[in-house]
Amino acid sequence: MKICCIVGARPQFVKVAALTRKIKSSPLIIHTGQHYEENMSSVFFDEMQIPKPKYHLEIGGLPQGAMTGKMIEEIEKVFFKEKPDCVIVFGDTNSTLAGAIAASKLHIPIGHVEAGLRSYNRKMPEEINRVLTDHCSDLLFTPTQVASQTLIDEGIDPEKIHHVGDIMYDIALFYQEQIGNEKEKTDYVLATIHRAENTDDPDRLRNIFEQLVDLSKGMQVKIPLHPRTKLALKKIDLLDTCQRALHVMDPLGYLDMIRLESNAKLIITDSGGVQKEAFFFKVPCITMRTETEWIELVERGFNKLVSPYEKIDMMDVYHEMTNRRYQWDVPLYGNGTAADQIIGLLTVRDGRRR
Ligand code: UDP
């Protein structure tokens, strides 16, 4: 079975790493080039031993429509040439949507990993990507029962929906063993901010970073800075202030990142993946958004939503979150075998087609 995986952005490198570890014959990988910097892309391929992409489309840095359109065109060319038996897309980026559209037009079966998530905020480009990808996929691999139910409620045939758990949990468990459990000596908060809805709105961005700077007066704040956020901070003249007050770092490789996550007292983020990793590593989390797709974390108190418009005392929230009592041992995201289950389901489906 010729499996083609489409990736392009950082969270997809992490997810594809979990899958390719379990595929015996090397899958065909198409890298769209959405993220192209060394520390946003190749570091993950090297460190996590992801097979080299056979095709690198180098489509980055374009507006939403142009980027997605160009990706569809170029991915289709590869499909004509390679004739894959199935296509796997991950998450919710433009690469996800482009891969799904290109495959659906050629009637190539599509598997969507991390299907059924919703923020119900249609202003987010990711939300449109998720909804459309789900509705043209043939196998929908969901991380939670809630996600499966969402798809059923949207009228998707239940036979296509497979609750396999979260693939990021597989990989977090695998690498957790390798990072050891050496504790950092100083307490710190780890922050990541990169969602377009936060970086593209100067008021929101300023509010978030002024609060982080405030927090840093009482607590070290470490932040590996996404290139988009760095640029946006520069534009509003806040980068220098942040660099003086916060421990600003370049984006990190996965192992360094999860090491920092697992040793943090608190994580502040707007990332989808980092919200879950906080839970995997038993660290309370604040999400700087008005809503989240990972609602079960908020409902159970592991995560707290803080509106990026709100002026709050971050130190108060820090104390509130670090003093709470947590019941970490709930299997919210499956048992760490999502990749095995996905491959099993693909194999059975392929056997039926032949
Ligand atoms: N990540 C990383 N280095 C960093 C920041 C994040 O390795 O400097 C990892 C993080 O541990 C998680 C993934 O990237 O596995 C999340 O990606 P991102 O936050 O870019 O996207 P999202 O999950 O919001 O779609």
Side-chain angles (χ1 to χ4, degrees):
M1 177 177 37
K2 191 170 192 177
I3 300 176
C4 174
C5 297
I6 303 200
V7 296
R10 179 168 66 188
Q12 295 166 329
F13 307 142
V14 176
K15 290 165 200 165
V16 83
L19 196 67
T20 53
R21 274 189 55 243
K22 299 287 181 171
I23 300 179
K24 283 195 193 83
S25 53
S26 252
L28 171 70
I29 297 184
I30 304 178
H31 187 325
T32 63
Q34 202 176 332
H35 283 164
Y36 47 85
E37 300 88 344
E38 204 277 329
N39 55 17
M40 296 289 287
S41 172
S42 49
V43 64
F44 295 91
F45 284 83
D46 297 343
E47 189 178 74
M48 301 171 96
Q49 290 160 18
I50 306 167
K52 283 242 166 316
K54 183 163 175 190
Y55 296 90
H56 204 303
L57 307 180
E58 294 178 14
I59 305 166
L62 290 171
Q64 296 280 333
M67 187 195 292
T68 314
K70 190 126 187 61
M71 284 177 185
I72 296 173
E73 192 181 337
E74 295 305 315
I75 292 171
E76 185 180 60
K77 286 182 196 160
V78 177
F79 288 166
F80 279 137
K81 202 166 145 199
E82 295 283 349
K83 301 188 174 35
D85 295 309
C86 72
V87 169
I88 305 293
V89 293
F90 303 83
D92 55 23
T93 72
N94 291 341
S95 307
T96 317
L97 177 62
I101 291 180
S104 69
K105 302 278 179 186
L106 299 180
H107 309 297
I108 306 168
I110 305 162
H112 184 203
V113 177
E114 213 178 70
L117 293 189
R118 298 290 179 266
S119 67
Y120 299 103
N121 176 356
R122 289 278 171 114
K123 288 211 173 105
M124 289 174 72
E126 294 93 336
E127 183 74 354
I128 306 295
N129 293 341
R130 289 180 196 119
V131 174
L132 299 181
T133 301
D134 280 341
H135 283 261
C136 61
S137 291
D138 302 279
L139 291 146
L140 295 103
F141 303 116
T142 65
T144 61
Q145 288 289 7
V146 175
S148 296
Q149 190 56 49
T150 301
L151 295 172
I152 293 170
D153 295 345
E154 287 182 11
I156 289 181
D157 178 357
E159 296 238 315
K160 294 182 176 176
I161 304 168
H162 303 278
H163 174 220
V164 295
D166 194 308
I167 202 161
M168 289 183 75
Y169 187 39
D170 295 19
I171 203 78
L173 286 176
F174 179 73
Y175 282 105
Q176 191 173 26
E177 282 181 15
Q178 300 193 15
I179 59 171
N181 41 21
E182 210 174 284
K183 285 274 160 221
E184 295 271 335
K185 292 202 177 60
T186 2
D187 288 349
Y188 63 89
V189 168
L190 175 68
T192 78
I193 298 292
H194 77 282
R195 289 248 96 76
E197 70 205 78
N198 284 334
T199 59
D200 295 0
D201 178 336
D203 292 338
R204 280 172 85 137
L205 188 68
R206 182 173 296 282
N207 190 41
I208 293 171
F209 276 87
E210 283 179 351
Q211 292 188 25
L212 291 178
V213 168
D214 265 355
L215 180 65
S216 74
K217 290 172 190 151
M219 165 73 46
Q220 189 183 27
V221 178
K222 300 191 184 195
I223 180 159
L225 207 55
H226 192 287
R228 183 202 288 151
T229 317
K230 189 171 185 179
L231 245 152
L233 284 172
K234 218 183 243 169
K235 265 197 208 150
I236 60 167
D237 259 339
L238 207 59
L239 184 61
D240 286 347
T241 311
C242 290
Q243 278 170 332
R244 276 193 299 272
L246 314 176
H247 182 167
V248 175
M249 291 170 266
D250 285 334
L252 301 169
Y254 182 74
L255 283 174
D256 284 340
M257 182 64 185
I258 63 168
R259 199 173 285 122
L260 270 193
E261 285 175 345
S262 54
N263 277 320
K265 285 279 155 205
L266 175 77
I267 291 177
I268 301 177
T269 191
D270 61 3
S271 155
V274 175
Q275 286 174 61
K276 282 179 295 169
E277 285 164 353
F279 170 73
F280 301 156
F281 300 122
K282 304 185 172 48
V283 179
C285 183
I286 295 176
T287 298
M288 300 302 290
R289 288 177 52 192
T290 46
E291 72 283 306
T292 177
E293 301 75 31
W294 305 103
I295 191 69
E296 54 285 331
L297 295 174
V298 177
E299 285 169 356
R300 289 173 183 256
F302 300 120
N303 191 337
K304 182 183 171 88
L305 288 176
V306 169
S307 162
Y309 291 113
E310 238 177 278
K311 291 252 177 264
I312 52 152
D313 186 334
M314 270 290 183
M315 207 55 186
D316 281 354
V317 187
Y318 171 86
H319 288 304
E320 177 196 331
M321 293 303 283
T322 51
N323 289 331
R324 265 188 202 171
R325 286 183 163 270
Y326 294 97
Q327 288 272 322
W328 293 110
D329 294 328
V330 275
L332 295 181
Y333 297 109
N335 58 8
T337 62
D340 286 315
Q341 293 182 59
I342 291 169
I343 290 160
L345 287 158
L346 290 175
T347 312
V348 169
R349 192 178 197 281
D350 190 60
R352 268 199 241 121
R353 280 176 66 228
R354 281 170 203 280

